[in-house]
Amino acid sequence: MNHTRKRSPRLRPRRPVRSIPKRQTTSGFRFNFKMRWLVVILIFLPFGSHIASLDAQVRHHFEGERWALPARVYARPLEIYTGMNLSRAALIEELDSLGYRKIEQTLEAGHYSYKGNELQLITRPFHFWDADEASQQIQISLSDNRVAAIRNIVTQQNVALVRIEPRLIGKIYPIDNQDRLLVTLEDIPALLISALLATEDRSFYSHMGISFRGIMRAAVENFKAGEMVQGGSTITQQLVKNFYLTPERKMARKLNEAAMAMLLEFHYTKKQILEAYLNEVNMGQDGDRAIHGMGVGAQFYFNRPIEELKLHEIALLISVVRAPSYYNPRKHPDRTLQRRNMILDLMADQKMITPAQALEAKIQPLGVVDEVQDSIFPYPAFLEVVRRQLREDYREEDLRSEGLQIFTTLDPILQKQAEESMVEGIKRLEKENKQQVKNLEGAMVISNNENGELLAVVNGKKPHYAGFNRPLNATRPIGSLVKAAVYLAALEQPSLYSLTSTLSDTPYEWTDKNTGEKWNPQNYDYRSHGNIPLVKALTYSYNLATVRLGMELGLDKVYNTLKKMGIEREFPIYPSMLLGSISLTPLEVTQMYQTIASGGFRIPVRAIREVLNHDGKPLQRYALSVEQRFDSAAIFLLNYALQQAVRQGTGRIVAQDLPSDMILAGKTGTTNDLRDSWFAGFGSELLTVIWLGRDDNKSMGLSGSSGAMRIWGDFIKSVRPAAEQPLTPTRVRWKWVDNRSGNSSRKGAAGAVLMPYIIDRESSTLAEISDNK
């Protein structure tokens, strides 16, 4: 079957949903009753042409697309269900990363508490691509790092699954590098609005854009306080200054500011102006990223939504508005604390809060997160994969300006475990092989077998640093990883080949007819092993037997098999390709082995689930695309041989430390002079591809089994993914054979093992054989 997604139309350059409608009035002369507007009109009448130009500028910008909004990239939502592998530490880390507060008793959304292995939390409401999730009060019971039970505390009913909002893992910023998260007045605590107006513009609801009375009052208050506690410019003037004008201090600019402020008030409501100000106001700087608006300001300083801010946090945000650099709480905590407490006193004087509330808030610390969680996106390699896939459907300017919500497949818990395995593994290998292994780097790609979702991408021993993206761009020879294609090409012909077919592992020479150059491949141990069963040749990765088999099949046959497995790039057809002279990236190898791990289905590896516009409406769904490329019986036989490779062959040393009940398959890969160490391994849940080597392509002294596979083994032990015996296809039967010769045997005989066969070849024999295993 082949389910392919339909491409949706590209975004239009203008979207009316972000435009603010012009306020409707009951009469064209609504201001006739306000004498001050008549005075203003008479004053500006001589400057009619200039005022008309300013008026057009005000309306065009305010009614069009005011802001270029960054795209927001999310990880997968954490879906918790009974029986899943989940430790308390991993769950708490996930909640902390989302800004949930640990308290003694859960009271509101964004709170959690725990005692022993019982954890209670109140989830936040969230608009997912497929449904709106309401807030729930949940109790999660854990046992032996598994979810034992989930219960809704309110209804006292067991819950099958609870979904927690996804972690923000990246943004794609506009050209001007301004970051903002649009909010409405309804999103913002009423106390924040009241306090903001008290400090910035007390006469906001009565002035017409400028306030001479406000200027005088601010001068008096500032003189009394001995410092700047109130501003003279109205909020409308501040909005105009930030929205339309340059920061230069000239009389002409000030006059334009006053005129435009009044024009803004003439055309739009106070609510529209205040909402625009709250989304435009400068809240600080993070390197070259400008923080604009209260919505992203709350995330920037407190790592939580603005709706969840407490009194002392609200006062801090208002403190920053006056001078974001001067009152930077991370750089100048003392002066910011003093400013915040002054705001709290002002709020008490204005009867917004009680003196007791002000006192309680003043004893609180600033509460700013130590690191700028909103800007530290520790998955640069994965985000580059996301951007590459997005560019297939969206223009770059749309990605940078339309405020898209991009929901990806990244699993932060699995990503962390993969990073730890890679970083610690490289350290250990360098320490154990000091003379040979130096400047070692690596890449790890992990996907889901069933749907091709990319779950983790690790780039070297410093995975949080942006730089050369090895998983995506390191093109290296794949070595013996290619052998899976050679043996699959044979097993697709059950009338000619089975796992016990005899292959010759003897010296081989090929001569290039054009150049006369000779090619003499060797086994890794520089020995030949005579006639051996096909399964043994793959289990122990014998080069000579593989080359002879490949040449017998025909190079075109192997080439076509590689293409069917998912390799899209072109490569030369030479005998050396049978031993992995083909150069691929770790992500391309993942696509190649995805087809094997999924049971013969071509499932594109994907990093994106859904794309919504800024208002939460679906734009693009990255639906699962499935196409059967290989017969399930041939894949089953191949995977049986790859299971033997892990347990008995090239991977047996690492496999000794893995749980015996895990059915795991895989293939090592090693290139000439030990320049590249590869391993691709999978169970019934996860496919993992690992590459180790040096960026300068020099020898690093590790084979696939002594390098990459060891890191894979550590990862599997820490994660314990599902690794169950695959179901036997209907066309496959099991037969007792001798493990050395491949000849028929019987249960209980010395050296007897069960071997799967496709019935097309063995039907006459298998009809008399039971399925007793």
Side-chain angles (χ1 to χ4, degrees):
M1 58 181 175
N2 186 7
H3 304 297
T4 58
R5 60 178 174 83
K6 294 182 179 179
R7 294 167 65 93
S8 65
R10 297 188 183 276
L11 296 179
R12 296 177 179 176
R14 292 280 301 261
R15 293 188 298 110
V17 291
R18 285 226 307 278
S19 299
I20 300 297
K22 185 175 176 179
R23 180 172 62 178
Q24 299 297 315
T25 61
T26 57
S27 168
F29 301 94
R30 63 184 290 270
F31 296 104
N32 286 356
F33 299 100
K34 296 185 178 181
M35 293 303 297
R36 56 184 177 174
W37 282 111
L38 181 58
V39 173
V40 169
I41 293 172
L42 291 174
I43 292 174
F44 285 116
L45 193 59
F47 309 98
S49 176
H50 182 64
I51 297 300
S53 174
L54 293 179
D55 183 68
Q57 184 180 346
V58 165
R59 285 185 294 156
H60 174 75
H61 196 44
F62 204 83
E63 294 178 12
E65 290 201 354
R66 303 180 196 165
W67 299 287
L69 301 177
R72 303 172 70 81
V73 185
Y74 295 93
R76 61 88 188 99
L78 178 59
E79 296 178 333
I80 306 173
Y81 55 90
T82 303
M84 76 176 292
N85 288 330
L86 183 66
S87 67
R88 190 186 75 176
L91 177 55
I92 290 174
E93 182 176 349
E94 181 90 2
L95 294 175
D96 289 343
S97 72
L98 291 168
Y100 277 65
R101 301 174 191 253
K102 178 185 175 297
I103 62 172
E104 294 299 321
Q105 184 178 3
T106 52
L107 298 173
E108 58 188 48
H111 286 177
Y112 77 91
S113 64
Y114 65 86
K115 185 176 182 180
N117 284 326
E118 300 286 337
L119 188 144
Q120 293 187 5
L121 76 150
I122 303 181
T123 65
R124 295 186 179 117
F126 192 83
H127 177 71
F128 290 94
W129 59 89
D130 55 354
D132 285 330
E133 294 278 347
S135 176
Q136 297 184 73
Q137 192 169 355
I138 297 294
Q139 177 173 301
I140 301 172
S141 301
L142 302 169
S143 177
D144 295 327
N145 292 331
R146 285 184 177 270
V147 177
I150 309 171
R151 186 166 59 91
N152 187 303
I153 296 175
V154 176
T155 65
Q156 293 297 304
Q157 299 291 317
N158 288 334
V159 178
L161 180 144
V162 61
R163 184 160 58 167
I164 298 175
E165 75 269 19
R167 187 187 306 186
L168 182 68
I169 60 170
K171 296 181 182 179
I172 303 174
Y173 294 109
I175 298 298
D176 60 11
N177 237 28
Q178 290 188 3
D179 190 9
R180 59 171 48 82
L181 174 62
L182 295 190
V183 293
T184 65
L185 288 183
E186 289 73 22
D187 298 325
I188 298 176
L191 194 58
L192 188 151
I193 295 174
S194 299
L196 176 69
L197 295 179
T199 56
E200 296 298 319
D201 191 354
R202 290 189 188 180
S203 60
F204 174 72
Y205 285 107
S206 60
H207 66 62
M208 56 183 185
I210 59 174
S211 174
F212 299 108
R213 184 183 302 172
I215 294 172
M216 296 302 297
R217 183 175 58 244
V220 172
E221 293 293 335
N222 294 337
F223 178 77
K224 289 180 180 179
E227 66 170 290
M228 198 76 164
V229 296
Q230 289 188 28
S233 296
T234 65
I235 276 181
T236 313
Q237 286 177 275
Q238 294 180 45
L239 177 60
V240 166
K241 181 168 56 179
N242 293 334
F243 218 39
Y244 299 99
L245 303 174
T246 62
E248 60 182 348
R249 295 175 177 271
K250 292 183 178 179
M251 181 57 67
R253 194 201 66 84
K254 291 296 291 182
L255 291 174
N256 283 339
E257 176 188 306
M260 295 175 85
M262 287 186 284
L263 289 168
L264 205 60
E265 293 272 352
F266 183 87
H267 288 294
Y268 305 103
T269 65
K270 291 289 186 179
K271 178 180 178 180
Q272 290 172 320
I273 293 170
L274 180 57
E275 190 169 283
Y277 174 83
L278 290 167
N279 284 302
E280 174 62 27
V281 61
N282 181 14
M283 297 299 294
Q285 198 78 18
D286 177 31
D288 61 353
R289 179 176 71 125
I291 310 300
H292 282 268
M294 291 290 181
V296 76
Q299 295 285 351
F300 180 66
Y301 290 113
F302 305 112
N303 193 31
R304 60 176 53 91
I306 194 167
E307 304 96 307
E308 295 180 11
L309 296 187
K310 302 304 180 185
L311 175 57
H312 65 285
E313 296 166 334
I314 287 173
L316 178 69
L317 276 191
I318 296 170
S319 302
V320 172
V321 169
R322 177 54 48 82
S325 298
Y326 188 77
Y327 292 114
N328 184 329
R330 293 190 178 93
K331 293 183 177 179
H332 310 295
D334 292 337
R335 75 168 65 138
T336 307
L337 181 65
Q338 184 179 3
R339 170 77 179 171
R340 184 204 69 176
N341 291 345
M342 187 175 297
I343 297 293
L344 289 167
D345 288 335
L346 177 64
M347 293 170 72
D349 291 342
Q350 296 290 318
K351 309 300 183 185
M352 299 177 199
I353 58 175
T354 66
Q357 288 175 317
L359 182 61
E360 182 180 355
K362 287 166 71 174
I363 64 176
Q364 300 296 324
L366 290 175
V368 176
V369 291
D370 293 336
E371 293 181 330
V372 188
Q373 299 289 338
D374 189 52
S375 64
I376 297 179
F377 301 130
Y379 314 117
F382 181 86
L383 288 174
E384 191 174 344
V385 177
V386 171
R387 292 192 67 157
R388 179 174 291 187
Q389 293 188 5
L390 284 171
R391 289 192 189 105
E392 296 177 6
D393 298 292
Y394 298 96
R395 299 174 301 173
E396 184 68 21
E397 56 264 38
D398 292 333
L399 295 177
R400 290 182 174 273
S401 64
E402 291 296 325
L404 302 183
Q405 300 175 63
I406 301 158
F407 294 91
T408 75
T409 59
L410 181 80
D411 184 334
I413 296 176
L414 197 67
Q415 174 78 23
K416 182 182 179 184
Q417 292 169 314
E419 289 174 357
E420 290 174 349
S421 297
M422 174 64 76
V423 172
E424 295 303 318
I426 288 178
K427 285 182 181 177
R428 185 179 68 250
L429 290 170
E430 288 183 330
K431 184 177 180 180
E432 293 174 356
N433 304 272
K434 292 182 179 179
Q435 300 301 318
Q436 290 180 302
V437 181
K438 298 177 181 179
N439 301 319
L440 191 60
E441 281 295 352
M444 183 186 297
V445 180
I446 302 167
S447 65
N448 182 289
N449 289 0
E450 294 184 354
N451 55 31
E453 288 190 341
L454 201 58
L455 304 177
V457 177
V458 182
N459 185 19
K461 54 193 174 188
K462 293 182 178 180
H464 296 175
Y465 287 88
F468 179 60
N469 192 334
R470 299 174 187 86
L472 191 58
N473 298 319
T475 306
R476 307 296 282 264
I478 64 173
S480 292
L481 292 182
V482 78
K483 291 176 181 174
V486 178
Y487 288 88
L488 179 56
L491 294 171
E492 274 199 290
Q493 306 175 66
S495 61
L496 299 176
Y497 298 97
S498 73
L499 290 176
T500 52
S501 295
T502 300
L503 301 183
S504 174
D505 188 65
T506 55
Y508 180 85
E509 181 177 276
W510 176 80
T511 303
D512 189 323
K513 294 179 181 179
N514 296 321
T515 65
E517 187 177 350
K518 297 183 182 299
W519 180 57
N520 299 97
Q522 298 287 332
N523 281 329
Y524 185 75
D525 60 3
Y526 294 101
R527 297 167 53 195
S528 57
H529 305 89
N531 291 333
I532 55 173
L534 181 148
V535 65
K536 185 175 182 179
L538 181 54
T539 297
Y540 292 96
S541 196
Y542 290 149
N543 290 339
L544 297 175
T546 302
V547 170
R548 287 185 173 277
L549 174 62
M551 297 302 289
E552 185 177 294
L553 291 167
L555 295 180
D556 287 342
K557 174 69 174 176
V558 177
Y559 175 89
N560 291 332
T561 300
L562 285 165
K563 287 292 184 177
K564 286 171 63 178
M565 290 173 73
I567 296 178
E568 296 181 351
R569 76 165 64 218
E570 296 299 323
F571 53 90
I573 302 177
Y574 282 106
S576 59
M577 80 179 193
L578 299 172
L579 298 182
S581 62
I582 306 165
S583 292
L584 301 174
T585 67
L587 189 61
E588 288 176 306
V589 172
T590 302
Q591 183 64 76
M592 171 184 168
Y593 270 79
Q594 182 76 36
T595 307
I596 301 174
S598 66
F601 293 90
R602 169 73 159 83
I603 304 175
V605 174
R606 60 196 180 113
I608 304 170
R609 287 184 176 178
E610 303 281 343
V611 176
L612 309 182
N613 70 8
H614 177 260
D615 299 304
K617 296 177 181 178
L619 287 179
Q620 183 97 343
R621 183 174 186 188
Y622 289 75
L624 182 63
S625 174
V626 179
E627 179 186 354
Q628 186 167 1
R629 292 285 181 88
F630 297 97
D631 180 71
S632 60
I635 290 289
F636 184 85
L637 265 61
L638 174 68
N639 288 350
Y640 173 85
L642 294 177
Q643 291 167 16
Q644 306 312 304
V646 169
R647 289 295 178 180
Q648 300 176 21
T650 53
R652 61 188 179 279
I653 296 177
V654 172
Q656 291 174 359
D657 296 328
L658 296 176
S660 59
D661 61 340
M662 299 185 76
I663 308 301
L664 298 163
K667 187 70 192 77
T668 56
T670 308
T671 60
N672 292 342
D673 302 322
L674 301 179
R675 287 189 174 94
D676 303 282
S677 170
W678 288 93
F679 186 77
F682 55 93
S684 57
E685 181 183 4
L686 301 180
L687 164 65
T688 305
V689 171
I690 298 175
W691 168 83
L692 295 179
R694 290 175 51 144
D695 288 340
D696 60 9
N697 201 26
K698 292 182 179 179
S699 173
M700 45 85 196
L702 295 172
S703 65
S705 57
S706 65
M709 189 178 182
R710 290 183 62 185
I711 292 179
W712 175 79
D714 292 339
F715 172 70
I716 294 298
K717 283 187 289 184
S718 67
V719 175
R720 291 296 299 268
E724 301 169 354
Q725 178 68 47
L727 295 175
T728 303
T730 56
R731 294 180 57 229
V732 171
R733 296 291 184 271
W734 293 82
K735 175 182 175 181
W736 289 100
V737 298
D738 182 81
N739 66 350
R740 292 179 190 151
S741 66
N743 296 328
S744 296
S745 184
R746 57 183 174 80
K747 184 178 180 180
V753 295
L754 273 172
M755 192 72 64
Y757 288 86
I758 299 176
I759 56 175
D760 291 30
R761 175 176 171 81
E762 297 289 331
S763 56
S764 59
T765 305
L766 294 177
E768 304 172 2
I769 298 172
S770 72
D771 284 344
N772 181 13
K773 298 182 184 180

